[in-house]
Structures are given as C-alpha cells and as structure tokens.
Amino acid sequence: YARCAGVPPAVSVIAELQPDDDWASAWLRAQGLRPGEYVVVHPGSGAARKNWLGFEALLQRWRGEFDDLPVVTVYGPAEIDRAPLPGGVCLRQPSLPGLAGLLARARFYVGNDSGVSHLAGALSTPGLALFDGSDPAVWAPRGDTVAVLRGAACGNCPPDRF
C-alpha cells in the first residue's frame, strides 16, 4: 500500500510489535513445552477458500514420524468455531504480542496464506505458507525464512493436492 501512496515501504514493521516474551514463556511452561522444541500450525485464514483441508492428515503423519515434536495449533477469531485438530495443544485467540512470542520460539511454522504466516516471516521463524485461492507473487510473506507452496487453484484443496 505504501508504494501506491508514493511512500517508500518500511523495511520491517516488526520493530513496532514487541513479542510478549513473558506471556509466551509462561504459557509454554504451563503446557510442558520448551522453546525451539515445538511446531506451530495455523490451519485457518480470514477466508475459508484459502484454507487447505489437509492439516489433520499432516499432523497424523508428523506424529508417526516425529513423535517427540509437539504441535501447537493456533486459532484466531475467524476459526473460533472450528473443532481443534486432534493431538497437540490448542491455543485459541492469543494476543498478537503473545502469538509473536510463541512464533519467535518455535522450531517451525506451517499455515495458510494468513496474517499469522506473515507474522512468522517477519519474525524470521522457519516455516511454510500454503497458498490456494490467492497469488503468492502478491501476498507471500516477506523475508526468506517462510517458504511458499502453491496448490492447484482448486479451492479448499484436499490433502493430496499440495
């Protein structure tokens, strides 16, 4: 948007957001998790057409291959009515600074085209953003730590389409 208004875009906006390190540390301790030893998954987005339907299958596979790597599934306001994915720990509607603190300590992140994916990229958290129903050339997270995987433009792709 800045370029459209003739203003040079900021190199980084993350300096404006201070991760809530105290909250994230306390929440992780309460869950029995340690920094760098969990994965964050965000299976939602602001638009259902952008949501990959394969997260449950992905988590089942991870549990089979990486049994010792806990998964934290994060749900925002758009997913408040969704049932939690089986296994792992579910976190609903964390504050933005709390989520930033959690992402900053994660080993890896995976999610759809969403604000959470952009936050992971801004925090330099290694991760994967799944794009279906939007153009990653325009909307991909900035930075080089979040890879982008684009599905066939099928809308609500089943697990085997990525």
Side-chain angles (χ1 to χ4, degrees):
Y1 297 114
R3 283 189 199 103
C4 293
V7 176
V11 173
S12 174
V13 296
I14 202 63
E16 300 297 321
L17 174 66
Q18 295 299 315
D20 191 338
D21 296 325
D22 292 337
W23 179 88
S25 294
W27 189 86
L28 289 170
R29 263 192 315 277
Q31 306 305 315
L33 301 174
R34 292 191 298 254
E37 296 184 7
Y38 62 91
V39 174
V40 174
V41 173
H42 180 241
S45 71
R49 68 179 171 77
K50 299 191 301 182
N51 294 344
W52 181 51
L53 301 178
F55 281 100
E56 187 171 344
L58 176 66
L59 294 183
Q60 288 174 350
R61 183 167 183 170
W62 275 355
R63 279 193 299 279
E65 293 185 26
F66 308 104
D67 192 36
D68 60 339
L69 188 62
V71 175
V72 175
T73 304
V74 176
Y75 291 102
E79 302 88 35
I80 194 63
D81 294 330
R82 287 183 64 173
L85 292 172
V89 179
C90 180
L91 176 60
R92 292 189 182 274
Q93 297 194 73
S95 69
L96 191 57
L99 178 59
L102 190 68
L103 285 167
R105 290 163 173 73
R107 180 183 294 178
F108 191 77
Y109 164 81
V110 64
N112 296 303
D113 170 19
S114 70
V116 179
S117 293
H118 288 275
L119 184 57
L123 291 163
S124 298
T125 301
L128 178 65
L130 304 172
F131 273 72
D132 182 45
S134 60
D135 185 357
V138 176
W139 299 110
R142 301 300 174 229
D144 58 3
T145 61
V146 177
V148 171
L149 183 60
R150 184 175 190 170
C154 62
N156 288 326
C157 281
D160 63 346
R161 288 299 297 262
F162 270 100

